[in-house]
Amino acid sequence: YDLRGRFAGPHSPHPQLHAVQRDDHIYLVTRRGEHQISAAGDRYFAPQLSPAGGHVVYQGLTRGLFVLRLEDRQTFALGQGDHPSFSQDGRFLVFDRTDDDGQQLTGGELYLTQLVHPRLRTTQLTSSADSIELYPSLSADGSRIAYLAEGVIWIAELTR
């Protein structure tokens, strides 16, 4: 809602298409109405439509990240992960996966999913026992990644 109390969201670069969370489920909203895209058996939240409009990512409380490819309505389970971020062109999704001891984080690595691959291919980007990488974000063209580690924002080039 905006400051005047009018409904203002969700924001979508595709006004006729967006994803919303309601009652622990995720719904895809189109011109023709809305339908549930999340399966039973979990509590889902944080849906995001890719900037290119081809994919939706959302999280399950116990089952982790899911990606719906809108072209064929196929859903892919990526496993545990947080802070998903799409590249502007919709070719990549980056996220972090953390470990904890119940009180604090003990590890964290970054992962990159190639959304243009028929089965979606996920690659581990970092592997460092002495650093916890978090909050990844891709550049518009997907050639660089920014992330937080040890209280510092790092920027790295992604090689193909």
Side-chain angles (χ1 to χ4, degrees):
Y1 292 90
D2 66 13
L3 294 174
R4 293 186 177 139
R6 296 175 299 208
F7 184 70
H11 169 73
S12 174
H14 308 279
Q16 302 301 319
L17 176 68
H18 56 275
V20 297
Q21 179 236 337
R22 187 172 49 259
D23 301 324
D24 296 330
H25 288 285
I26 306 301
Y27 296 85
L28 185 65
V29 182
T30 67
R31 255 184 282 171
R32 290 178 267 172
E34 66 180 48
H35 71 279
Q36 184 177 318
I37 59 174
S38 56
D42 205 345
R43 297 174 67 188
Y44 299 97
F45 60 98
Q48 294 179 50
L49 178 66
S50 66
H55 297 83
V56 175
V57 65
Y58 56 95
Q59 289 182 262
L61 192 59
T62 60
R63 296 171 62 199
L65 293 174
F66 290 87
V67 173
L68 170 67
R69 184 170 50 212
L70 295 176
E71 179 180 73
D72 59 6
R73 300 295 169 113
Q74 189 169 358
T75 300
F76 300 88
L78 301 182
Q80 292 304 317
D82 288 299
H83 311 111
S85 177
F86 287 104
S87 62
Q88 191 68 27
D89 61 9
R91 294 183 308 140
F92 301 107
L93 176 75
V94 67
F95 60 95
D96 60 43
R97 188 172 286 161
T98 58
D99 296 313
D100 64 71
D101 63 8
Q103 293 185 350
Q104 63 183 9
L105 293 178
T106 59
E109 305 298 344
L110 304 181
Y111 290 80
L112 179 78
T113 298
Q114 296 178 35
L115 299 172
V116 294
H117 192 275
R119 293 189 184 171
L120 276 65
R121 186 175 5 185
T122 299
T123 305
Q124 185 172 341
L125 293 177
T126 60
S127 181
S128 54
D130 59 341
S131 180
I132 299 174
E133 293 88 9
L134 300 167
Y135 307 108
S137 181
L138 290 167
S139 62
D141 64 0
S143 68
R144 289 175 305 231
I145 184 171
Y147 60 94
L148 179 68
E150 301 174 19
V152 177
I153 296 175
W154 297 85
I155 298 175
E157 298 266 339
L158 293 174
T159 58
R160 307 229 185 262

